[in-house]
């Protein structure tokens, strides 16, 4: 979704497979990782996730400093509060690659804030201010239906289910702002001194100054560009480095749930995304579920990445279901 000025480095790695299971209390029963223990979790509604994505897009491009940013932030905060969550709005100023400053709003919605064991689920919610990869118009702000809104839509549907059918561990949903305002394609200026090349400014800020002093989590899962048709979620390189056991747990769950074609059990590229500052600054092991497609020429993001074609027509409910049900199974397996 965002910038993905991705150091797309390919490598071979062998990942040890394991998983843990526990019985929870709801509707779908599925064997996880081939074990006999059944895990019952709510059914993830792709229709509901789609509606949450559509609502975000309806505000217009969610560019930091815009009216759409303000209105969408208010709606998301209100929606999480309607689920009964504790919501924190973290406002900050972000300095861009070109020296300009824009206002950012990170949102944190906490489920069972009193729980000691915490899981971090995250996505970025801003949309890119320029369509620099569009073949026709390169200076228009994009809808960011997949690159931004899709991850948030999936998280909101997971949050809705948790509010009705509780899991044991505490969960913090963190929505990062100003992730996608990196330098445009073909930029000739020097960004080598900027952390993450000028991307991921909201997650960098949160990682340095979390919503609660001393905050930590057992692990985190980042969702980025999780709504396009024919999506492929390979093992992202930084995720393998910092959190290989979480990669194993998530990909095993996807396989056993029947979503293996979306989650190839294969190493992919290294992507500069919001999980990098969370891993390196906040020291929370976090993986990135991100659509990055590998072919004979290397790899690339979904076809409408950073173009005006990243609108609601790019969203596929089958992909939303695959990602949402998989992540929800992993969350419901956690015990306090």
């Amino acid at each position: 979704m965002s910038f993905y000025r991705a150091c797309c480095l390919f490598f071979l790695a062998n990942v040890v497979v394991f998983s843990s299971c526990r019985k929870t209390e709801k509707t779908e029963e599925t064997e996880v990782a081939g074990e006999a223990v059944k895990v019952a979790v709510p059914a993830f509604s792709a229709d509901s996730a789609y509606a949450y994505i559509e609502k975000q897009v309806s505000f217009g491009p969610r560019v930091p400093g815009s009216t759409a940013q303000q209105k969408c932030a208010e709606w998301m905060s209100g929606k999480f509060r309607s689920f009964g969550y504790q919501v924190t709005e973290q406002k900050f100023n972000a300095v861009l690659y070109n020296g300009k400053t824009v206002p950012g709003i990170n949102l944190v919605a906490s489920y069972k804030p009193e729980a000691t064991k915490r899981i971090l689920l995250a996505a970025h919610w801003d949309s890119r201010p320029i369509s620099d990869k569009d073949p026709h118009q390169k200076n228009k702000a994009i809808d960011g239906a997949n690159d931004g809104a899709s991850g948030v839509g999936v998280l909101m549907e997971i949050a809705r289910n948790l509010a009705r059918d509780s899991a044991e561990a505490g969960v913090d949903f963190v929505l990062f702002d100003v992730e996608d305002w990196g330098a445009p394609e073909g930029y000739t200026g020097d960004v080598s001194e900027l952390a993450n090349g000028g991307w991921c400014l909201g997650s960098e800020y949160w990682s340095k100054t979390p919503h609660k002093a001393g905050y930590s989590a057992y692990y985190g899962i980042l969702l980025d560009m999780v709504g396009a048709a024919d999506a492929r979620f390979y093992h992202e390189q930084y995720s393998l480095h910092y959190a290989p056991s979480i990669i194993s747990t998530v990909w095993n769950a996807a396989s056993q749930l029947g979503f293996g074609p979306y989650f190839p059990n294969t190493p992919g590229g290294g992507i500069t995304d919001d999980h990098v500052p969370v891993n390196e600054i906040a020291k929370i092991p976090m993986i990135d579920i991100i659509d990055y497609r590998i072919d004979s020429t290397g790899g690339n993001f979904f076809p409408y990445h950073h173009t005006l074609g990243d609108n609601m027509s790019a969203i596929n409910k089958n992909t939303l279901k695959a990602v949402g049900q998989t992540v929800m199974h992993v969350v419901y397996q956690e015990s306090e």
Side-chain angles (χ1 to χ4, degrees):
M1 60 178 249
S2 37
F3 50 165
Y4 302 136
R5 198 168 185 87
C7 357
C8 296
L9 310 172
F10 294 93
F11 69 104
L12 297 177
N14 295 317
V15 179
V16 177
V17 173
F18 80 94
S19 74
S20 62
C21 295
R22 74 171 178 85
K23 183 172 288 186
T24 57
E25 66 271 30
K26 259 313 182 191
T27 48
E28 290 191 352
E29 288 195 350
T30 310
E31 279 195 17
V32 175
E35 298 183 9
V37 176
K38 298 287 185 177
V39 177
V41 300
F44 181 91
S45 171
D47 288 336
S48 179
Y50 185 94
Y52 292 140
I53 297 167
E54 192 171 44
K55 181 64 176 180
Q56 293 171 75
V57 171
S58 73
F59 292 107
R62 302 164 306 287
V63 175
S66 67
T67 300
Q69 178 203 36
Q70 294 295 324
K71 290 184 176 180
C72 188
E74 291 171 4
W75 172 76
M76 292 188 300
S77 294
K79 182 58 68 174
F80 278 111
R81 289 191 175 99
S82 75
F83 297 153
Y85 284 45
Q86 181 183 93
V87 177
T88 303
E89 297 185 5
Q90 187 183 58
K91 297 184 178 181
F92 62 99
N93 291 318
V95 180
L96 307 177
Y97 68 93
N98 56 9
K100 180 180 177 180
T101 298
V102 297
I105 308 171
N106 291 333
L107 297 176
V108 184
S110 297
Y111 163 77
K112 293 178 66 172
E114 74 284 356
T116 302
K117 184 174 185 178
R118 310 213 59 77
I119 308 303
L120 172 61
L121 301 181
H124 84 92
W125 70 277
D126 59 310
S127 57
R128 187 148 174 79
I130 53 173
S131 50
D132 50 325
K133 291 172 68 173
D134 194 277
H136 305 295
Q137 300 185 69
K138 297 186 178 296
N139 294 305
K140 294 189 68 174
I142 69 174
D143 285 345
N146 190 35
D147 190 0
S150 67
V152 174
V154 169
L155 293 186
M156 294 186 84
E157 173 59 7
I158 294 174
R160 185 183 71 86
N161 277 282
L162 285 174
R164 298 182 312 161
D165 305 297
S166 61
E168 291 190 18
V171 181
D172 296 294
F173 296 86
V174 182
L175 309 184
F176 296 122
D177 202 358
V178 204
E179 184 268 359
D180 220 355
W181 207 320
E185 293 284 310
Y187 181 70
T188 57
D190 184 10
V191 296
S192 61
E193 298 300 315
L194 301 177
N196 303 306
W199 306 91
C200 309
L201 299 181
S203 55
E204 180 184 355
Y205 182 86
W206 179 88
S207 296
K208 292 177 179 178
T209 55
H211 61 290
K212 287 188 177 181
Y215 174 84
S216 189
Y218 275 60
Y219 63 85
I221 299 175
L222 175 67
L223 305 183
D224 196 356
M225 297 188 287
V226 293
D230 303 317
R232 291 296 180 268
F233 307 108
Y234 291 89
H235 299 173
E236 190 276 329
Q237 180 177 329
Y238 295 111
S239 305
L240 275 175
H241 175 74
Y242 288 109
S245 65
I246 308 307
I247 285 279
S248 297
T249 298
V250 172
W251 265 250
N252 286 336
S255 177
Q256 294 301 321
L257 291 168
F259 301 128
Y262 292 95
F263 289 82
N265 202 24
T266 306
I271 313 298
T272 302
D273 204 353
D274 285 322
H275 66 312
V276 173
V278 173
N279 276 297
E280 296 183 349
I281 300 173
K283 306 300 182 184
I284 296 171
M286 180 180 239
I287 68 166
D288 191 7
I289 299 177
I290 182 170
D291 182 4
Y292 186 77
R293 307 176 189 193
I294 300 172
D295 56 29
S296 59
T297 63
N300 212 333
F301 299 109
F302 77 109
Y304 299 109
H305 179 246
H306 289 182
T307 73
L308 297 177
D310 186 4
N311 52 43
M312 289 305 297
S313 67
I315 300 300
N316 181 277
K317 292 181 182 179
N318 292 328
T319 305
L320 298 176
K321 175 71 172 181
V323 175
Q325 196 70 63
T326 296
V327 174
M328 202 150 65
H329 269 265
V330 172
V331 170
Y332 272 79
Q333 290 164 30
E334 293 297 335
S335 57
E336 174 54 59

